[in-house]
């Protein structure tokens, strides 16, 4: 309020009182006239308007030049218009009129400019008391333009939203990276697709391309391209001109495309196959999907097909969503390439290594059991190896060794060393001179890997006795067991292979009937939490307590107690001199045996022979049924599975339990045979002879069968 009269300074307003409280400055001069006030309102840059409430609404009766410029009309043309509108209420709403009349208030309004643009503002409205020159219902409104504030707020909100999207994208990529650590799990890719569906898109599906296009829940590195549901073969790429998906897989048409699943696609193309698999039942819905290539190092390894939320194809994905889809595809492709590359190297090394290991040895006059397994935790291939040689009817050579490393080079070095030992073992019967010759040749070959081994020659004697002659080249000592007493055959340790200086010693031990000799590599006894000396002591303790009376039972007992969770490759050879009472009556053992068999037809015969020998050793009657069951199970694993086949036998006390494991997770099925050709009755035979079932395993599946004695008459069994 403007004072109409002058005031004198008081004690509270003196300079000495400054800083101690509010100071009232004196105002002097006459009060401004109505004309002066009108001129001031007209000259200010703050938009002002005088409004009047009428039965027809709230109308403008006067505006200053600032408001006229804001709306783009001449001041005299605005009078009578409704250029100020409250977006919340209608101008004719009685409640709105009463609200304006009550007193000072603030309202959101929209200025309707002459060019059609609406400017969002806020109006500070006050009622003017009625007087001689002021009609009732007069209002004065100061208008504040919110454009700058709203623009800054919108920009800030956009920045916050963008930052949130970036954080969400980074979080999603981090979770995808965690899932990619187990991309070769059965449902690894499905989990990544589910994560995309929860955060980014409506639907996501992975399809891998290797000898055909196939839907993938997880990666199958060993037999990529083989699945229950697979698309056209790789040869269909010749039809790429009519197939946009084929061009994408061929790498000739970019790395992303929009595919309409409802469109007609040529028969036999990838686009037609995808449409048949992914088309929605909603005929009126948007059927467009985004196909993102999953790139490998040299060529595409598959596709990621996503359906955006709400449809719309590629246009429905914003920049951050497109980036997420592309990054996920690239990371998945790199992981798949790494898994397949490692798997190829591993299978090459393992195949090389197993090809050089002998089959289960059959030696006249000796009971021999052999075992080899790479480290299951790291799934690596190393240089552990063994060999059993029938040098002549009276002499048997047994060797076990270890080459440093877990790769193809270690396996190749092992193969070279095995060949060298074999070549000299048949010419020289004494172990020491054999190792001398091996040293010379091995050193001349300049092989970079260090290696150790024990070579022994067993010579048949009188009365079932044998003489063991051996020489060690830096390897762990053999273990000799007689009547529950053990001793380590340390002999002359000697240097590693290739570092001998000539004249390696040969030690000799007489073996009586019932004696056992254990050859082994360090994976059987060495652990991070104990010393090697403690591991050797544990081996002696366990071996002394073994009650099994056959080489396989002894070996399985040692493995079950010492190598349940090995930290390195394990190779074991158990050699037993048969006793005079080898009917094995009353022998107590874990009654468990296992074999690792290559996925080849010859393994079927080996498995049958192993079951017959085991039934004889355990005195399980009616071995013919078990022989027939294991033959069918191993044959199915060889024909329909992949990877190596694991055979395990258990004596359950009331029968024999057979377990066969392979890397194919697809369950076995019983069929009615193949009309017009032989085969297809395998599981029917198993059903007649045994109770059977299957379960998933970490590496694929296990099919088990518990043989029922006397299921078929002898004539039927041998038909």
């Amino acid at each position: 309020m403007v004072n109409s009269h002058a005031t004198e300074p008081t004690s509270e307003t003196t300079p000495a009182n400054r800083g101690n409280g509010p100071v009232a400055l004196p105002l002097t001069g006459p009060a401004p006239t109505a004309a002066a006030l009108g001129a001031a309102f007209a000259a200010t840059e703050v938009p002002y308007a005088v409004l009047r409430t009428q039965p027809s609404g709230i109308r403008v009766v006067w505006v200053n030049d600032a408001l006229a410029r804001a709306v783009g009309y001449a001041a005299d043309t605005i009078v009578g218009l409704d250029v100020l509108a409250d977006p919340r209420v209608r101008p004719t709403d009685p409640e709105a009129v009463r609200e304006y009349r009550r007193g000072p208030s603030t309202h959101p309004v929209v200025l309707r400019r002459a060019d059609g643009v609406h400017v969002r503002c806020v109006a500070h409205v006050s009622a003017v008391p009625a007087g001689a020159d002021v009609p009732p219902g007069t209002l004065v409104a100061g208008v504040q333009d919110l454009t700058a504030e709203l623009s800054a707020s919108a920009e800030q909100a956009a920045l916050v939203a963008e930052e949130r999207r970036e954080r969400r994208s980074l979080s999603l990529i981090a979770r995808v990276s965690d899932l990619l650590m187990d991309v070769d799990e059965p449902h690894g890719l499905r989990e990544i697709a589910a994560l995309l569906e929860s955060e980014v898109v409506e639907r996501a599906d992975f399809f891998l391309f290797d000898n055909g296009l196939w839907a993938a829940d997880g990666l199958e590195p060993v037999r990529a391209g083989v699945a229950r549901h697979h698309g056209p073969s790789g040869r269909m790429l010749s039809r790429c001109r009519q197939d946009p998906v084929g061009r994408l897989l061929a790498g000739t048409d970019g790395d992303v495309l929009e595919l309409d699943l409802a469109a007609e696609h040529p028969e036999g193309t990838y686009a037609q196959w995808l449409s048949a698999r992914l088309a929605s039942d909603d005929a009126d819905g948007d059927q467009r999907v985004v196909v993102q290539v999953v790139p490998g190092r040299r060529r595409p390894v598959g596709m990621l097909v996503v359906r955006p939320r709400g449809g719309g194809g590629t246009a429905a994905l914003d920049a951050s969503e497109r980036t997420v889809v592309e990054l996920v595809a690239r990371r998945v492709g790199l992981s798949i390439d790494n898994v397949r590359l490692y798997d190829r190297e591993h299978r090459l090394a393992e195949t090389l290594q197993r090809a050089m290991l002998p089959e289960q040895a059959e030696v006249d006059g000796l009971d021999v059991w052999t075992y080899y397994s790479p480290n299951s935790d790291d799934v690596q291939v190393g240089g552990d190896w063994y060999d059993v040689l029938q040098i002549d009817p009276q002499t048997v050579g047994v060797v076990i060794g270890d080459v440093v490393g877990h790769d193809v080079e270690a396996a190749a070095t092992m193969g070279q060393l095995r060949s060298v030992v074999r070549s000299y073992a048949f010419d020289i019967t004494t172990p020491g001179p054999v190792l001398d010759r091996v040293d010379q040749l091995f050193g001349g070959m300049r092989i970079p890997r260090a290696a150790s081994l024990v070579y022994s020659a067993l010579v048949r004697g009188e009365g079932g006795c044998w003489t063991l002659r051996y020489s060690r080249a830096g390897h762990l000592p053999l273990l000799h067991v007689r009547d529950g007493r053990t001793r380590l055959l340390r002999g002359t340790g000697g240097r590693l292979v290739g570092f001998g200086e000539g004249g390696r010693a040969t030690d000799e031990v007489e073996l009586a009937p019932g004696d056992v000799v254990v050859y082994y590599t360090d994976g059987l006894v060495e652990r991070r939490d104990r010393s090697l000396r403690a591991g050797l002591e544990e081996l002696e303790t366990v071996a002394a307590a073994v009650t099994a009376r056959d080489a396989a039972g002894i070996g399985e007992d040692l493995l079950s107690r010492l190598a349940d969770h090995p930290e390195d490759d394990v190779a074991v050879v158990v050699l037993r001199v048969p006793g005079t009472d080898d009917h094995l009556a009353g022998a107590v053992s874990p009654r468990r045996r296992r074999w690792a068999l290559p996925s080849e037809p010859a393994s079927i015969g080996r498995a049958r022979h192993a079951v017959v020998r085991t039934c004889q050793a355990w005195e399980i009657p009616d071995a013919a049924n078990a022989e027939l069951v294991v033959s069918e199970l191993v044959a199915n694993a060889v024909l329909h599975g992949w990877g190596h086949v694991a055979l395990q036998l258990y004596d359950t006390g009331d029968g024999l339990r057979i377990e066969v494991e392979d890397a194919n997770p697809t369950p076995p099925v019983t069929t009615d045979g193949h009309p017009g050709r032989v085969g297809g009755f395998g599981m029917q035979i198993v059903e007649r002879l045994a109770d059977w079932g299957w379960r998933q395993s970490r590496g694929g599946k296990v099919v088990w069968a518990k043989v029922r004695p006397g299921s078929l008459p002898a004539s039927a069994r041998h038909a």
Side-chain angles (χ1 to χ4, degrees):
M1 179 176 179
V2 179
N3 292 332
S4 59
H5 60 276
T7 58
E8 295 295 332
T10 63
S11 61
E12 287 80 5
T13 62
T14 60
N17 241 5
R18 290 174 184 174
N20 296 328
V23 178
L25 297 178
L27 297 177
T28 60
T33 63
L37 290 175
F41 273 103
T44 182
E45 291 299 318
V46 178
Y48 275 98
V50 176
L51 312 175
R52 185 167 298 142
T53 57
Q54 298 175 349
S56 60
I58 302 173
R59 298 296 176 186
V60 177
V61 296
W62 177 86
V63 298
N64 64 355
D65 290 341
L67 183 58
R69 289 192 300 271
V71 296
Y73 289 99
D76 55 352
T77 62
I78 300 175
V79 175
L81 298 179
D82 181 23
V83 296
L84 296 177
D86 188 337
R88 300 173 303 173
V89 297
R90 294 170 56 86
T92 56
D93 188 346
E95 180 58 31
V97 174
R98 284 193 295 271
E99 184 177 351
Y100 279 113
R101 285 180 172 180
R102 285 192 188 104
S105 59
T106 300
H107 307 273
V109 296
V110 176
L111 288 181
R112 299 176 180 177
R113 286 174 32 178
D115 56 5
V117 177
H118 290 188
V119 182
R120 296 179 63 183
C121 305
V122 61
H124 305 280
V125 181
S126 297
V128 180
D133 298 327
V134 180
T138 301
L139 309 172
V140 61
V143 181
Q144 180 182 355
D145 189 350
L146 299 180
T147 302
E149 289 83 351
L150 290 175
S151 297
S153 177
E155 183 178 353
Q156 183 66 27
L159 290 175
V160 171
E162 180 65 22
E163 182 178 357
R164 287 177 179 173
R165 284 194 296 269
E166 293 294 335
R167 288 183 178 180
R168 184 192 66 178
S169 300
L170 290 174
S171 174
L172 189 146
I173 295 298
R175 283 182 283 172
V176 167
S177 299
D178 292 338
L179 292 174
L180 285 174
M181 297 177 66
D182 297 318
V183 71
D184 54 343
E185 288 294 306
H187 303 291
L189 294 180
R190 183 62 255 169
E191 291 182 10
I192 295 174
L195 182 59
L196 287 173
E197 291 170 353
S198 67
E199 298 284 347
V200 180
V201 297
E202 179 181 320
R203 178 175 176 178
D205 295 275
F206 281 99
F207 296 86
L208 298 186
F209 180 69
D210 196 339
N211 298 322
L213 188 66
W214 49 285
D217 285 345
L219 181 61
E220 298 172 5
V222 179
R223 286 274 296 273
V226 178
R228 286 182 296 171
H229 305 287
H230 56 84
S233 68
R235 298 176 184 174
M236 293 305 300
L237 284 177
S238 61
R239 305 183 61 176
C240 284
R241 293 182 180 178
Q242 300 95 19
D243 188 0
V245 178
R247 294 196 299 271
L248 195 71
L249 291 172
T252 61
D253 201 12
D255 58 2
V256 65
L257 65 86
E258 181 178 300
L259 182 68
D260 188 354
L261 302 179
E264 293 291 332
H265 300 285
E267 186 70 24
T269 60
Y270 293 111
Q272 187 268 341
W273 184 76
L274 278 178
S275 298
R277 286 189 59 86
L278 300 178
S280 172
D281 295 334
D282 184 5
D284 298 329
D286 195 327
Q287 297 289 310
R288 288 176 293 171
V289 296
V290 178
V291 182
Q292 170 71 51
V293 70
V294 177
R297 288 181 175 85
R298 297 182 179 179
R299 62 178 181 84
V301 298
M303 302 182 307
L304 171 57
V305 182
V306 299
R307 189 193 302 272
R309 291 174 177 171
T314 53
L317 295 175
D318 61 30
S320 65
E321 291 172 341
R322 287 195 296 269
T323 300
V324 167
V325 171
E326 180 181 356
L327 286 177
V328 168
R330 290 186 178 277
R331 294 200 175 201
V332 168
L334 181 61
S335 296
I336 290 174
D337 249 6
N338 288 339
V339 169
R340 288 180 174 173
L341 178 63
Y342 174 79
D343 180 73
R344 285 193 296 268
E345 179 180 347
H346 174 73
R347 283 188 288 122
L348 171 64
E350 187 176 15
T351 300
L352 174 64
Q353 188 170 34
R354 290 194 181 275
M356 295 181 179
L357 294 177
E359 296 292 330
Q360 183 78 35
E362 296 294 333
V363 179
D364 183 26
L366 289 174
D367 183 10
V368 179
W369 176 87
T370 57
Y371 174 83
Y372 167 76
S373 176
N375 181 9
S376 59
D377 290 338
D378 296 333
V379 196
Q380 294 177 325
V381 173
D384 290 19
W385 60 286
Y386 64 85
D387 205 353
V388 180
L389 312 171
Q390 185 77 59
I391 297 174
D392 59 49
Q394 303 300 319
T395 307
V396 177
V398 181
V399 60
I400 193 163
D402 187 0
V403 177
V404 174
H406 297 85
D407 52 22
V408 175
E409 186 178 27
T413 301
M414 176 272 292
Q416 291 175 301
L417 186 57
R418 175 179 177 268
S419 298
V420 170
V421 173
R422 274 202 163 200
S423 64
Y424 290 132
F426 282 90
D427 292 337
I428 308 171
T429 57
T430 306
V434 170
L435 292 191
D436 287 336
R437 298 290 296 275
V438 172
D439 284 333
Q440 295 173 8
L441 186 58
F442 198 75
M445 295 170 66
R446 299 185 180 277
I447 295 177
R449 296 298 181 94
S452 65
L453 66 85
V454 178
Y455 175 69
S456 64
L458 293 99
V459 181
R460 190 192 305 266
E462 299 293 336
C465 296
W466 291 74
T467 299
L468 170 67
R469 299 188 179 98
Y470 68 94
S471 184
R472 290 198 299 140
H475 199 78
L476 295 171
L478 306 181
L479 179 66
H480 178 215
V481 183
R482 175 180 291 174
D483 297 331
R485 297 188 300 274
T486 63
R487 62 167 174 157
L488 294 172
L489 303 180
R490 299 182 181 276
T492 303
R495 300 184 180 184
L496 293 173
V497 177
F499 295 94
E501 298 177 350
R504 286 190 183 267
T506 299
D507 293 281
E508 186 174 303
V509 175
E510 294 296 327
L511 301 180
D515 282 7
V516 175
V517 180
V518 181
Y519 303 72
Y520 55 94
T521 56
D522 55 3
L524 184 67
V525 296
E526 196 169 25
R527 299 290 181 273
R528 295 186 182 93
D529 58 351
R530 71 184 182 200
S531 66
L532 181 59
R533 181 188 298 274
L536 293 175
E537 292 175 353
E538 180 71 11
L539 172 62
E540 289 191 85
T541 302
V542 171
V546 170
T547 58
R549 300 281 298 278
D550 63 313
I554 294 169
E556 286 297 334
D557 205 345
L558 293 176
L559 290 177
S560 64
R561 303 188 190 188
L562 296 174
D564 274 350
H565 301 286
E567 297 174 2
D568 200 354
D569 306 337
V570 177
V572 181
V573 177
V574 176
L575 183 150
R576 181 177 179 274
V577 179
T580 57
D581 56 346
D582 264 9
H583 299 294
L584 307 179
V588 180
S589 72
R591 296 293 199 181
R592 181 182 68 176
R593 296 185 179 181
R594 55 187 167 184
W595 291 264
L597 307 172
S599 184
E600 58 187 32
S603 295
I604 302 172
R606 182 181 171 189
R608 295 176 65 163
H609 185 59
V611 166
V612 171
R613 289 187 61 201
T614 300
C615 289
Q616 292 174 351
W618 291 348
E619 295 187 331
I620 295 178
D622 205 6
N625 284 355
E627 182 183 4
L628 191 53
V629 168
V630 78
S631 178
E632 296 298 337
L633 295 184
V634 174
N636 282 340
V638 170
L639 293 174
H640 306 297
W642 54 80
H644 281 82
V645 178
L647 168 64
Q648 297 197 69
L649 305 178
Y650 299 89
D651 180 4
T652 62
D654 59 349
L656 182 69
R657 180 183 174 93
I658 302 170
E659 292 190 356
V660 176
E661 181 178 8
D662 66 79
N664 184 354
T666 305
V669 294
T670 303
T671 68
D672 294 329
H674 304 303
R677 58 190 176 94
V678 176
F681 298 97
M683 296 312 296
Q684 289 189 23
I685 295 174
V686 173
E687 284 187 341
R688 290 286 303 275
L689 300 176
D691 299 318
W692 73 279
W694 74 283
R695 68 176 185 272
Q696 294 284 354
S697 67
R698 181 177 178 82
K701 70 173 180 301
V702 172
V703 182
W704 60 267
K706 184 177 178 183
V707 179
R708 297 190 295 266
S711 300
L712 286 179
S715 59
R717 291 196 298 269
H718 298 291

